[in-house]
């Protein structure tokens, strides 16, 4: 077997191709857009390079066939409460069902991280935010959501045989988007709706700045300061909304208000993989034209939950039921969506797990694991602390 470090466009192309070759016969595999993977490793597009560095390798067998790949990351901003020293990461791992091949990939990532003073390796993770390419799928091997890792079941064996241990579990929840709301939820909604001070509305593309201001206010009150999350600026949200605009469905992004004060948000998007799976990883001019054709002729049946939150003083007052039912009153009769799946919630956040489990008729759709490998094998292993 031969390890090759990615150092130019030719080897970068091999890195992209390796995932396709390994997963060629994997059911439900959807090739990510090449541009999305390149973006992670482009210092001009990924702000994680301001605080770290990364390296990539591909693995070939004795006959020159691609049989694996891996990336390793150092990011000074990446840390969890209780860490005994700096922790690096590995990700974008793909490998045939062969332990020696997997060990060779894990070893090169480990040695690279050791040389940079790391004390442990987490993975598979992203070189950047947790909303993409994070965790190893261990349950629910259906088609991945856009930006979500995907792998065959045997990867768990490769990872755990090497010595990685679960650092935290990531749980996704889903619902039948067309199923009538439960009586319990409708009653809770009715109590809030009876008060004329409450209102709800969906986003409008011609008023993005106004809704960006509302999003910023809710987000900063509901999340900033928790789990290391930073405050957002309105300008950042405007950029995010403008990026989302081409695929944004106004009918599935909702805000709730009390006396016109923004108090809750429920942000969903069509699952882009339902369209991107037809593009074979490409997004050049021809692929963009094909995307527009696919988008126009193949309605997306699945929506994915991005953000759901209520500012603290309005929690436990029924606002969650209120905004969900107000959304359903439009989504159920007016849109083609039949499936709903939320992005993952870490088991280190039991309060949010409880909220998701108590949504009407919700069920677990898939589970991923973020693993940790301590370089000092005598060090006691500790899981991610509970928030």
């Amino acid at each position: 077997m031969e390890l090759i470090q990615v150092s130019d466009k030719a080897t970068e192309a091999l890195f992209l191709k390796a995932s396709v070759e390994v997963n060629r016969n994997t059911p439900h595999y959807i090739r990510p857009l090449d541009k999305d993977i390149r973006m992670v490793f482009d210092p001009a597009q990924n702000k994680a390079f301001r605080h770290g560095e990364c390296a990539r390798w591909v693995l070939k067998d004795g006959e020159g066939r691609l049989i694996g790949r891996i990336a390793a990351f150092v990011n000074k901003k990446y840390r969890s409460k209780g860490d005994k020293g700096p922790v690096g990461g590995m990700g974008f791992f793909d490998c045939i069902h062969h332990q020696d091949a997997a060990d060779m990939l894990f070893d090169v990532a480990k040695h690279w991280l050791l040389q940079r003073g790391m004390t442990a390796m987490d993975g598979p993770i992203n070189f950047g935010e947790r909303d993409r390419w994070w965790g190893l799928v261990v349950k629910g091997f259906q088609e991945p959501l856009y930006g979500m890792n995907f792998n065959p079941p045997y990867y768990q064996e490769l990872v755990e045989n090497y010595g990685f241990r679960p650092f935290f579990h990531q749980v996704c929840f889903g619902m039948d988007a067309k199923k009538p709301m439960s009586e319990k939820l409708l009653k809770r909604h009715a109590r809030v709706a009876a008060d004329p001070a409450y209102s709800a509305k969906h986003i409008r593309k011609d008023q993005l700045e106004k809704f960006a201001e509302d999003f910023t206010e809710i987000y900063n009150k509901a999340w900033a300061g928790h789990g290391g999350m930073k405050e957002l600026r309105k300008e950042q949200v405007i950029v995010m909304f403008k990026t989302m605009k081409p695929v944004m469905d106004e009918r599935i992004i909702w805000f709730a208000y009390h006396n016109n004060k923004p108090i809750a948000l429920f942000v969903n998007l069509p699952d882009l993989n339902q369209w991107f799976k037809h593009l074979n990883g490409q997004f050049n001019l021809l692929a963009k034209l094909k995307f527009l054709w696919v988008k126009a002729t193949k309605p997306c049946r699945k929506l994915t939950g991005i953000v759901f939150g209520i500012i603290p003083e309005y929690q436990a007052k029924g606002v969650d039921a209120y905004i969900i039912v107000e959304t359903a009153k439009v989504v159920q009769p007016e849109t083609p969506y039949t499936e709903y799946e939320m992005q993952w919630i870490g088991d280190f956040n039991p309060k949010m797990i409880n909220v998701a489990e108590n949504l009407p008729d919700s069920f677990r759709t898939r589970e991923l694991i973020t693993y940790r490998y301590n370089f000092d094998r005598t060090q006691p292993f500790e899981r991610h602390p509970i928030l």
Side-chain angles (χ1 to χ4, degrees):
M1 291 184 286
E2 178 188 12
L3 271 172
I4 303 169
Q5 186 164 355
V6 174
S7 58
D8 53 26
K9 288 186 177 181
T11 46
E12 180 184 63
L14 293 178
F15 186 80
L16 296 170
K17 187 179 179 183
S19 176
V20 180
E21 292 299 316
V22 170
N23 291 288
R24 186 170 298 281
N25 298 312
T26 302
H28 307 306
Y29 171 75
I30 295 176
R31 178 178 179 175
L33 294 183
D34 291 350
K35 75 174 188 67
D36 288 344
I37 305 301
R38 288 194 183 101
M39 186 183 302
V40 175
F41 301 98
D42 183 354
Q45 298 185 73
N46 186 352
K47 63 182 181 181
F49 278 95
R50 301 173 192 170
H51 313 288
E53 59 180 316
C54 66
R56 290 173 284 172
W57 298 266
V58 294
L59 183 64
K60 289 184 176 182
D61 66 13
E63 297 180 8
R65 292 174 297 204
L66 289 166
I67 59 171
R69 71 173 188 177
I70 200 166
F73 323 114
V74 169
N75 185 346
K76 294 178 182 177
K77 296 291 184 179
Y78 178 70
R79 60 177 63 90
S80 300
K81 186 177 180 181
D83 285 350
K84 301 298 190 294
V87 176
M90 73 85 180
F92 300 89
F93 168 75
D94 280 293
C95 188
I96 61 171
H97 196 173
H98 193 290
Q99 192 66 51
D100 289 345
D103 290 353
M104 185 174 289
L105 290 165
F106 295 141
D107 278 346
V108 73
K110 178 178 71 174
H111 293 149
W112 187 86
L113 292 169
L114 279 167
Q115 290 169 1
R116 284 151 182 81
M118 300 297 105
T119 61
M121 171 169 61
D122 285 357
I125 67 171
N126 184 28
F127 186 43
E129 302 299 331
R130 293 187 179 190
D131 60 341
R132 288 193 179 191
W133 320 123
W134 206 282
L136 189 86
V137 182
V138 295
K139 292 180 183 177
F141 295 90
Q142 63 267 29
E143 290 183 344
L145 299 174
Y146 174 66
M148 178 176 280
N149 275 342
F150 183 76
N151 53 265
Y154 69 81
Y155 277 34
Q156 184 174 9
E157 173 190 329
L158 299 178
V159 169
E160 294 184 358
N161 282 349
Y162 186 76
F164 283 94
R165 296 181 63 182
F167 187 46
F168 60 85
H169 290 245
Q170 305 157 235
V171 186
C172 298
F173 292 86
M175 292 183 286
D176 181 340
K178 294 297 186 184
K179 191 170 184 177
M181 299 288 103
S182 68
E183 285 300 317
K184 180 180 177 181
L185 194 77
L186 291 172
K187 287 180 180 178
R188 292 179 62 228
H189 164 269
R191 286 197 292 269
V192 178
D195 184 343
Y198 287 95
S199 62
K201 63 181 72 172
H202 63 69
I203 201 169
R204 292 176 55 97
K205 291 184 180 181
D206 59 358
Q207 296 179 17
L208 289 186
E209 289 203 17
K210 179 256 192 269
F211 286 103
E213 186 172 339
D214 294 347
F215 183 102
T216 304
E217 183 173 345
I218 297 166
Y219 181 92
N220 286 340
K221 289 180 178 179
W223 285 285
H226 298 284
M229 302 186 80
K230 297 180 180 179
E231 284 199 356
L232 288 177
R233 292 179 291 105
K234 175 184 173 182
E235 292 74 19
Q236 292 173 285
V237 180
I238 290 173
V239 170
M240 179 178 71
F241 279 2
K242 287 182 177 179
T243 301
M244 293 164 52
K245 188 175 180 180
V247 295
M248 182 185 289
D249 184 339
E250 294 176 328
R251 301 167 296 179
I252 60 176
I253 301 177
W254 282 75
F255 293 79
Y257 301 86
H258 184 252
N259 290 324
N260 295 318
K261 169 189 173 183
I263 61 171
L265 53 83
F266 188 24
V267 179
N268 306 284
L269 285 176
D271 176 26
L272 300 182
N273 266 0
Q274 301 306 302
W275 293 316
F276 288 162
K277 65 183 178 182
H278 300 285
L279 303 184
N280 192 31
Q282 305 305 304
F283 210 61
N284 52 27
L285 179 58
L286 284 177
K288 288 178 181 178
L289 292 173
K290 184 176 182 180
F291 168 71
L292 293 174
W293 177 81
V294 169
K295 187 170 179 286
T297 59
K298 296 182 182 293
C300 179
R301 303 292 182 186
K302 188 169 188 175
L303 69 158
T304 178
I306 307 299
V307 183
F308 181 86
I310 304 166
I311 65 175
E313 57 262 45
Y314 287 89
Q315 293 174 6
K317 292 186 176 182
V319 175
D320 55 338
Y322 176 70
I323 196 170
I324 289 171
V325 173
E326 290 297 308
T327 302
K329 284 159 64 174
V330 172
V331 170
Q332 290 189 332
E334 298 182 15
T335 73
Y337 306 111
T338 58
E339 297 178 68
Y340 178 68
E341 186 171 4
M342 291 173 273
Q343 292 282 359
W344 62 267
I345 305 170
D347 66 353
F348 52 79
N349 191 349
K351 290 183 179 179
M352 281 306 300
I353 293 281
N354 186 59
V355 168
E357 286 181 328
N358 283 287
L359 289 174
D361 302 309
S362 69
F363 55 91
R364 295 191 177 209
T365 54
R366 69 183 94 214
E367 185 175 318
L368 302 91
I369 295 177
T370 295
Y371 287 90
R372 172 163 288 188
Y373 181 94
N374 288 331
F375 296 152
D376 180 354
R377 306 305 291 163
T378 66
Q379 179 182 333
F381 184 84
E382 297 179 8
R383 292 199 58 184
H384 191 294
I386 301 297
L387 294 183

